[in-house]
Amino acid sequence: MDHSISLAEARPVDMSGAKPIRVWEQSEVFDSFVRAQEVILESRHSVRPDTSHDPAYAPYATVQIGGRVVAEIDNHGWVTTSNATAARVGELPDSTGGAVSGPALARARAEYLADRLGGSVVTAPTAMTQAAFERLPQPGVKVDTAAMLADPLYRNLQQLKEARAQYLQQLPSTATT
C-alpha cells in the first residue's frame, strides 16, 4: 500500500482574506503564550555554570578490565563509557540507599559495571564521601538579565502585555480576565 502524498496538485493557500489574530485579545491562550515565550527567552539567555574545577564533578572512579579503562564515573554518579560497553551492561542503578546522585550512586554504579563486565573499580583520589558531597553548594543555571532585557523578544513581550492591558481596559467592567 502506497502512503506517499503527491505534490503535483498542490496549490498555494490564498491568504488574501485572512484576518490577523491579535493574541492579546485571546483570553484562552494569552497567558500560556506569554509563559511559553518567557521560558524561551530565559532559556536563550541561560548561562551554564563552569564545573571544570568543581569537586562534585571530579572523577569518583574508573572501571578497568586488564588495566584498560572501560568506564569513568564522577562524584555525581554520571558514567562515561563507550556505546558498546553501555549496550553490554544495560540499565545502570538509578539510586542507592535513597541517594539519587552523589558518591553513593557513583559507588553503586562503579560496582555494578565492574561486576557486569568482569573488571575492577579503581577509586580516584578526588572521590568524595556522600556527606562531603551533600555539603557542597550545587551550581545553578543563571540568567543573563542584561542580555535578556536587550533581546527583541523581551521588548515584543512587553508590547504584547501592554496591548493586553489596554484591551482589557476597553472591555465592559462585567468581563473578567
Side-chain angles (χ1 to χ4, degrees):
M1 177 180 253
D2 184 13
H3 295 288
S4 61
I5 298 173
S6 171
L7 296 178
E9 301 295 319
R11 301 285 180 255
V13 175
D14 179 11
M15 298 296 291
S16 62
K19 294 181 184 178
I21 295 174
R22 296 180 179 126
V23 72
W24 59 87
E25 293 179 1
Q26 310 304 312
S27 297
E28 313 81 42
V29 298
F30 181 78
D31 289 338
S32 61
F33 174 81
V34 168
R35 274 193 301 278
Q37 295 302 303
E38 288 171 341
V39 167
I40 291 169
L41 188 59
E42 284 188 9
S43 175
R44 186 185 290 179
H45 297 287
S46 292
V47 179
R48 307 285 184 262
D50 176 12
T51 59
S52 60
H53 301 293
D54 189 327
Y57 295 86
Y60 177 83
T62 59
V63 174
Q64 298 183 13
I65 300 173
R68 187 176 63 98
V69 174
V70 294
E72 299 171 343
I73 303 96
D74 75 6
N75 280 310
H76 268 278
W78 296 340
V79 175
T80 304
T81 190
S82 69
N83 289 341
T85 299
R88 284 179 46 205
V89 297
E91 292 293 317
L92 293 171
D94 60 1
S95 67
T96 180
V100 293
S101 69
L105 180 59
R107 181 178 54 255
R109 287 181 167 179
E111 291 171 355
Y112 174 82
L113 288 165
D115 182 58
R116 293 287 305 240
L117 298 169
S120 60
V121 175
V122 178
T123 305
T126 52
M128 300 179 73
T129 65
Q130 189 70 28
F133 177 84
E134 289 171 1
R135 285 192 301 271
L136 287 176
Q138 294 297 313
V141 174
K142 294 185 174 129
V143 175
D144 182 346
T145 306
M148 184 176 74
L149 295 176
D151 190 310
L153 177 58
Y154 178 82
R155 287 191 298 279
N156 186 45
L157 279 174
Q158 299 316 303
Q159 291 170 349
L160 286 175
K161 289 176 183 179
E162 180 59 32
R164 176 74 173 165
Q166 290 176 6
Y167 171 74
L168 292 176
Q169 285 177 345
Q170 296 173 10
L171 295 178
S173 61
T174 56
T176 59
T177 316

